[in-house]
Amino acid sequence: MEELFYHEKGLFLQKLHPAASLAYICTLLVLTLIFTNPFYLAGLFFCTGLSVWMLEGLETWELFLKGGLFMTVPIMIINPLVSKAGATILWRGPSLPVFGEITVSMEAVFYGAVMSLRLLDVISIFCLYNIMVHPDKAMNMLERFAFKSALVLSLATRMFPAMIRHLENIKEIQLVRGVDFSGGTFKQKINKYTNLIYILLLSSLEDSMEIAEAMHARAFGSGRRTRYVRDSIKPADSVCLAAAAAALLTGAWGTVKGYGVMNFYPRLGPAYSRGDMRMLALLLSMLSIPSLLSWGWRYCRYFR
Amino acid sequence: MPIFQVKNVSYYYPESEKPALKDINISVDEGEFLLVAGGSGSGKSTLARVLAGLVPDFYGGIFSGRVLFKGRDIRGMDRRKLSRHVGMVFQDPEKQLVKTEAEAEIAFGLENLGLPQQEMLRRVAEAMDFLDLAEVKGRFIDKLSGGQKQKVALASVLAMQPEAIILDEPTSQLDPACAEEFFNLIKRLNEEMGKTVILIEQRLERCFHLADRVAVMKDGKLIIEGAPREVAAKSVAGGMPFIPPVARFFAAMGFPDIPATVKEGRGILKKCLPLHNADEESLGSAGSVEKIGDKSGDVISLKKVWFSYNDKKEVLRDINLRVFPGEFAAILGANGAGKSTLLKIMAGLLHPDRGRVFFQGEECGNKGEIFREKRVAYLAQNPNDYLLQDTVEQELAFTIKNFNIPDDGRIDRLLGEMDLKRHRNKNPRDLSSGERQRVALASVLVTHPSLVLLDEPTRGMDYALKAALGEYLEGLCSSQLCVVMVTHDVEFAAEYAKRVIILHDGKIVSDGSAKQVLGNSMFYSTQMARMCRGFAADILTVEDAMETLAPLLSQNYKLALERGLW
């Protein structure tokens, strides 16, 4: 579980101003959601992977992707079976109540595969956020707009790993007291795990009072607050911000012009055109700038 | 001028019929170091919260009397203003840190005070520099050691630049070396920066000598108050344990000047004992550590055990250990030395990466058969993690039901032995911390195990509770049960454990009888051992010293007086 959380490694991408990091991640996410062309989605996947690599997070990414596969496989199976919009029928099955005749069309198979790729993109972007942005820095940004929500999120982020460890301790204690988590019926197992959560909740409730008291003692809620800002915008942050903004605007303009969008039903539209590829190359070059700077920061002194 | 004046303060927590404070009157001068001692539930922490303005503001309840800060009633003061003047550091660093990163945590209070950015930058930098926290900058709080977390908590209070700092058992979670470092910082704050310090503490040997004044509380009342020496004399006369061992020893001997530190105590011994030339002989006898081990029929033995968690760093390295029936062993070591991990390996909760574990001669496999066969009782650090059932009795019944053991009257017997009979139908979470600890211990002892493993069992306990626990554990050992305890409490280990094992960076660096190991150790040693080193061997506790040194000392004291050497 520890691998899934942020670890400070002092890397270039981790040192970016949170505005730049969040702008880059948001751009990736928005483009993933507006593009339907598999080449574009694969390109975004590549850019995300490049950043993950620069953040020395390939092992973490692998864990995220493994989890993601559990979600994508059902999509790829179920979508072709329930979608009837495709015109190129590959297989006709029996007729079932409610669903009618089961058909598998090439368009539905393709659509399921592309949507799975999009889901993997989203999961990868989430992974990138996790390993790239220090939670406190992100909260600091959010504090400008919604202080209380940011504080709750910050507390949750701080407490979550501790709660996981606490849950493990409680489970060990139950083991020593004779609770066999592997034995019993499904209902009995549910009961055993419910007990763990029950103890955790009771202890957390008691702890929350102490945390609130410590916050109260440090004048929390005593009036208007100010914000402690540690991060200043550096040239590298400006470049990354500009690259993200340019990629977002280019992507939006391209979508309006029909680039990056593919029609699936009733028949597959074209996925490849020269214009599309030019646009994709332009986008990828913009989105690769943070990774390129990161590489340069490490290996080329002129980038510093 | 007093910084605090507490006048006739009484206080009841909400829904409580018993007062937590009864008619308290005390004043604290500016720049003073006040140590507040007393047993569990004596009202020390409540008094600290009264001074910090948390009682009744945060807790509610019934409050009477007045608390003045520099002549102004605290209850009439704006909370922001009060926080600027009075800071409070709590017991558990885990439960007072709200941010994920140290620098942000230190700035949290300053943001709440609404300070401008430039001022915050300066104060955060100053607090970090003063407490030498540069290395934790940018690091996740979750990844810091206990000592570092407590220093961050102190820095976050210090950055608010309060005139008075109140500390509620701030070192209860720290190992002896970290605790020493923390108290040195507090001392600097008091001496070099003139901060008023009010310290609530149970382990007095660590801090008694730092205080200008000591106040002792009992049942919500202030019963003794005065200079440390004065309090030491009065405590001994009143039969109270709230003084450190060195002071207790000399007060019990009837010396007119009661020392508060090891240095002062040694000064007195030097004046008296050279007449008997005890130095050389005793130095010789406190020599090398003899390894315990050539016994047969061990309860548990570990052979060449190595262990690492997921992060690959080895937590235990080449551990060879045998524990025998009737043995009471204490494992000491710094935070992160691998003590708790070793205990979990012994409980069968973790399986070694390499090496073998034998329980009563049988090798243990991968799936923790030890605890499944109800042969091990394991008490983790937090007793609350055991409390699940609605009553104390059900808590014990839960364990035996899981192991399919019939209740042959064992629950009743155990409740009686552990003084829990009167609470049998109460919800365990409604009990005091000491009682919760006993319920948790009973819930694992009910299976009649052969090996009892305890992780920091004395945390937050006062002298009386510790004595009761120590005697109970001694009783278990006399019935051939084997007790292994992880602790930071060297005085407790010296008092009750027969064997001491010191762990450092995952390796056993010392293993022998308590007298040998603690008598020879520089840091893992009791106050009495440090004071008597070179004068007499095998002294760890006040009782040891009374037996060995007292006759000699009183005789030589008289001689010294007669010869005008005193």
Side-chain angles (χ1 to χ4, degrees):
Chain A
M1 288 295 275
E2 286 280 309
E3 295 89 348
L4 300 179
F5 302 110
Y6 181 89
H7 291 273
E8 184 62 53
K9 297 171 188 164
L11 300 168
F12 172 82
L13 290 177
Q14 290 183 321
K15 284 183 184 164
L16 280 180
H17 190 280
S21 317
L22 290 174
Y24 177 60
I25 288 166
C26 287
T27 299
L28 282 172
L29 186 66
V30 170
L31 294 181
T32 300
L33 296 178
I34 60 175
F35 290 140
T36 47
N37 187 310
F39 288 109
Y40 278 66
L41 292 175
L44 291 171
F45 189 75
F46 168 77
C47 277
T48 311
L50 203 60
S51 300
V52 168
W53 182 40
M54 286 294 131
L55 284 158
E56 299 172 2
L58 290 179
E59 279 182 34
T60 310
W61 194 29
E62 192 186 329
L63 289 174
F64 271 88
L65 289 181
K66 276 182 185 165
L69 281 176
F70 280 103
M71 289 186 264
T72 54
V73 170
I75 292 174
M76 290 175 76
I77 295 170
I78 294 168
N79 186 64
L81 292 174
V82 296
S83 171
K84 298 187 186 306
T88 318
I89 304 297
L90 299 174
W91 179 74
R92 279 183 196 280
S95 188
L96 296 175
V98 183
F99 290 103
E101 188 190 19
I102 300 291
T103 56
V104 174
S105 66
M106 187 175 75
E107 288 79 10
V109 170
F110 203 75
Y111 184 78
V114 172
M115 287 309 110
S116 297
L117 178 59
R118 181 187 262 180
L119 185 61
L120 288 179
D121 267 352
V122 172
I123 288 168
S124 302
I125 293 166
F126 186 65
C127 165
L128 179 65
Y129 171 81
N130 250 21
I131 60 176
M132 183 172 170
V133 187
H134 194 299
D136 257 353
K137 287 185 177 177
M139 298 312 153
N140 220 16
M141 289 288 295
L142 184 62
E143 269 182 24
R144 287 171 197 260
F145 319 106
F147 164 66
K148 285 189 178 165
S149 310
L151 184 73
V152 169
L153 276 174
S154 173
L155 267 169
T157 315
R158 152 121 178 72
M159 297 298 164
F160 189 67
M163 282 176 84
I164 296 277
R165 278 200 302 276
H166 194 177
L167 198 63
E168 283 167 6
N169 285 342
I170 297 169
K171 190 177 176 188
E172 283 173 353
I173 287 164
Q174 294 284 298
L175 280 169
V176 176
R177 292 181 70 188
V179 178
D180 180 7
F181 286 93
S182 55
T185 61
F186 181 69
K187 195 182 165 195
Q188 283 168 335
K189 280 185 186 167
I190 295 276
N191 277 341
K192 287 168 192 170
Y193 281 99
T194 309
N195 282 345
L196 297 185
I197 304 292
Y198 178 68
I199 297 174
L200 183 71
L201 280 179
L202 280 177
S203 299
S204 301
L205 267 176
E206 288 174 357
D207 293 349
S208 65
M209 274 300 284
E210 292 181 46
I211 293 166
E213 186 187 15
M215 289 166 69
H216 188 88
R218 281 192 283 160
F220 178 72
S222 65
R224 194 186 65 82
R225 293 180 94 244
T226 45
R227 281 182 60 248
Y228 180 67
V229 183
R230 287 165 286 167
D231 306 294
S232 53
I233 298 263
K234 303 177 288 294
D237 298 318
S238 308
V239 173
C240 292
L241 256 174
L248 186 66
L249 290 173
T250 311
W253 175 81
T255 318
V256 173
K257 294 286 175 190
Y259 295 120
V261 184
M262 185 184 166
N263 290 323
F264 294 92
Y265 300 113
R267 288 188 187 281
L268 290 176
Y272 176 88
S273 73
R274 190 166 287 178
D276 254 324
M277 289 305 113
R278 270 197 219 119
M279 168 66 90
L280 178 59
L282 183 64
L283 275 175
L284 292 187
S285 54
M286 288 171 182
L287 291 171
S288 303
I289 286 175
S291 300
L292 188 70
L293 287 176
S294 173
W295 177 86
W297 190 264
R298 192 181 292 185
Y299 298 109
C300 180
R301 67 189 177 92
Y302 296 109
F303 278 77
R304 289 184 180 243
Chain B
M1 183 192 175
I3 194 165
F4 285 112
Q5 284 172 285
V6 180
K7 295 181 172 178
N8 305 318
V9 165
S10 294
Y11 174 67
Y12 292 77
Y13 279 103
E15 296 173 33
S16 171
E17 289 171 6
K18 195 181 158 208
L21 296 176
K22 280 185 221 166
D23 208 19
I24 299 284
N25 286 287
I26 190 171
S27 68
V28 185
D29 286 334
E30 215 161 335
E32 194 178 13
F33 192 132
L34 175 72
L35 170 65
V36 184
S40 296
S42 62
K44 311 183 295 291
S45 295
T46 308
L47 178 61
R49 281 159 174 77
V50 165
L51 297 174
L54 293 167
V55 163
D57 189 20
F58 181 79
Y59 282 91
I62 304 166
F63 184 89
S64 64
R66 291 179 78 200
V67 182
L68 306 179
F69 178 81
K70 289 190 160 179
R72 285 189 61 192
D73 195 326
I74 270 188
R75 297 191 70 185
M77 280 174 80
D78 172 43
R79 190 151 63 84
R80 181 170 280 199
K81 200 171 253 179
L82 183 63
S83 303
R84 280 176 188 256
H85 295 297
V86 184
M88 182 154 178
V89 178
F90 296 83
Q91 199 176 72
D92 189 348
E94 288 287 348
K95 295 173 194 164
Q96 58 189 311
L97 304 176
V98 293
K99 295 282 189 164
T100 49
E101 193 264 320
E103 193 181 350
E105 182 66 43
I106 297 168
F108 178 73
L110 306 179
E111 292 174 317
N112 293 336
L113 292 179
L115 297 182
Q117 168 72 7
Q118 208 51 39
E119 178 71 7
M120 286 196 279
L121 279 170
R122 184 182 64 78
R123 288 195 188 194
V124 169
E126 278 181 7
M128 291 188 91
D129 287 345
F130 181 78
L131 296 175
D132 198 16
L133 284 169
E135 61 172 323
V136 306
K137 195 173 176 177
R139 282 178 62 193
F140 258 116
I141 281 180
D142 199 47
K143 298 285 174 201
L144 305 183
S145 70
Q148 285 172 325
K149 281 180 190 165
Q150 197 59 296
K151 270 165 80 175
V152 170
L154 178 63
S156 68
V157 169
L158 217 52
M160 296 169 83
Q161 299 187 346
E163 290 162 67
I165 301 172
I166 300 165
L167 304 114
D168 187 5
E169 296 191 46
T171 62
S172 63
Q173 323 266 326
L174 309 185
D175 61 55
C178 286
E180 192 79 39
E181 190 194 344
F182 192 82
F183 279 131
N184 286 338
L185 285 170
I186 302 299
K187 191 180 168 187
R188 277 181 64 200
L189 282 174
N190 178 244
E191 287 181 355
E192 293 172 22
M193 301 174 77
K195 301 281 182 200
T196 305
V197 173
I198 296 157
L199 173 68
I200 315 295
E201 190 53 64
Q202 302 263 20
R203 296 184 191 175
L204 301 176
E205 66 279 1
R206 293 175 173 177
C207 54
F208 198 76
H209 58 286
L210 303 176
D212 298 317
R213 199 151 53 101
V214 179
V216 179
M217 294 188 70
K218 190 181 177 187
D219 296 332
K221 285 183 179 168
L222 214 53
I223 51 167
I224 307 175
E225 188 197 334
R229 286 182 174 78
E230 211 180 305
V231 170
K234 284 181 187 169
S235 287
V236 170
M240 281 176 288
F242 305 114
I243 50 170
V246 166
R248 193 156 76 235
F249 174 66
F250 285 100
M253 290 285 299
F255 273 66
D257 292 329
I258 296 170
T261 63
V262 168
K263 186 180 168 184
E264 290 170 4
R266 286 182 70 83
I268 296 177
L269 292 184
K270 271 179 195 161
K271 283 182 186 173
C272 295
L273 290 184
L275 298 169
H276 269 251
N277 197 23
D279 298 34
E280 300 304 319
E281 295 161 30
S282 58
L283 270 174
S285 60
S288 62
V289 171
E290 181 192 311
K291 191 141 180 160
I292 292 177
D294 288 325
K295 298 179 192 175
S296 54
D298 48 40
V299 177
I300 191 161
S301 75
L302 283 74
K303 289 185 181 169
K304 295 185 183 301
V305 164
W306 293 70
F307 181 81
S308 62
Y309 288 102
N310 295 337
D311 58 6
K312 312 288 192 287
K313 186 185 176 292
E314 270 142 354
V315 183
L316 294 179
R317 299 186 292 139
D318 198 23
I319 298 287
N320 289 293
L321 181 67
R322 297 173 74 194
V323 190
F324 301 94
E327 203 164 51
F328 188 163
I331 303 175
L332 305 179
N335 287 336
K339 304 184 298 296
S340 296
T341 305
L342 177 58
L343 219 57
K344 285 183 183 180
I345 294 255
M346 292 169 90
L349 288 166
L350 296 174
H351 187 70
D353 297 339
R354 272 182 283 159
R356 300 159 82 186
V357 179
F358 294 87
F359 193 89
Q360 292 176 336
E362 274 177 56
E363 183 162 6
C364 304
N366 286 359
K367 294 192 176 170
E369 301 90 315
I370 305 179
F371 62 75
R372 286 197 204 289
E373 290 172 27
K374 24 184 169 170
R375 296 182 290 183
V376 172
Y378 168 71
L379 186 68
Q381 282 182 14
N382 187 357
N384 291 343
D385 292 345
Y386 288 76
L387 310 179
L388 166 72
Q389 306 297 324
D390 291 334
T391 68
V392 170
E393 186 176 7
Q394 284 172 10
E395 206 63 70
L396 274 66
F398 174 74
T399 309
I400 57 171
K401 188 181 156 214
N402 290 330
F403 283 117
N404 296 319
I405 301 171
D407 182 11
D408 48 3
R410 60 176 73 203
I411 291 181
D412 208 42
R413 276 198 303 278
L414 199 55
L415 289 176
E417 280 171 24
M418 303 198 79
D419 193 22
L420 288 169
K421 261 194 176 165
R422 61 207 156 101
H423 302 304
R424 76 184 304 154
N425 292 318
K426 284 186 189 165
N427 189 315
R429 285 188 182 261
D430 290 338
L431 302 179
S432 70
S433 59
E435 288 160 348
R436 288 183 189 200
Q437 177 91 344
R438 291 211 299 278
V439 174
L441 184 57
S443 75
V444 288
L445 286 179
V446 73
T447 59
H448 292 174
S450 340
L451 175 63
V452 181
L453 304 169
L454 311 160
D455 197 353
E456 285 286 351
T458 61
R459 203 165 73 167
M461 279 188 171
D462 66 16
Y463 283 96
L465 288 173
K466 279 198 266 189
L469 176 70
E471 281 160 23
Y472 184 76
L473 295 175
E474 275 186 332
L476 292 181
C477 292
S478 63
S479 56
Q480 289 304 294
L481 243 79
C482 164
V483 176
V484 180
M485 162 185 80
V486 161
T487 186
H488 288 314
D489 193 339
V490 181
E491 301 286 340
F492 183 77
E495 191 94 32
Y496 298 100
K498 297 288 174 281
R499 177 181 175 186
V500 170
I501 297 154
I502 296 181
L503 216 60
H504 172 74
D505 196 21
K507 270 185 95 78
I508 292 177
V509 293
S510 189
D511 180 3
S513 75
K515 291 208 162 146
Q516 287 170 330
V517 176
L518 300 180
N520 284 336
S521 172
M522 174 78 88
F523 296 106
Y524 295 103
S525 185
T526 62
Q527 242 198 350
M528 291 305 292
R530 285 197 286 256
M531 186 185 77
C532 297
R533 189 165 294 150
F535 293 102
D538 293 344
I539 292 180
L540 295 182
T541 62
V542 173
E543 288 67 32
D544 293 340
M546 292 300 285
E547 203 176 297
T548 316
L549 276 184
L552 210 59
L553 200 57
S554 57
Q555 192 187 344
N556 288 348
Y557 174 52
K558 282 176 199 158
L559 274 174
L561 279 177
E562 282 167 16
R563 293 177 190 180
L565 293 171
W566 198 259

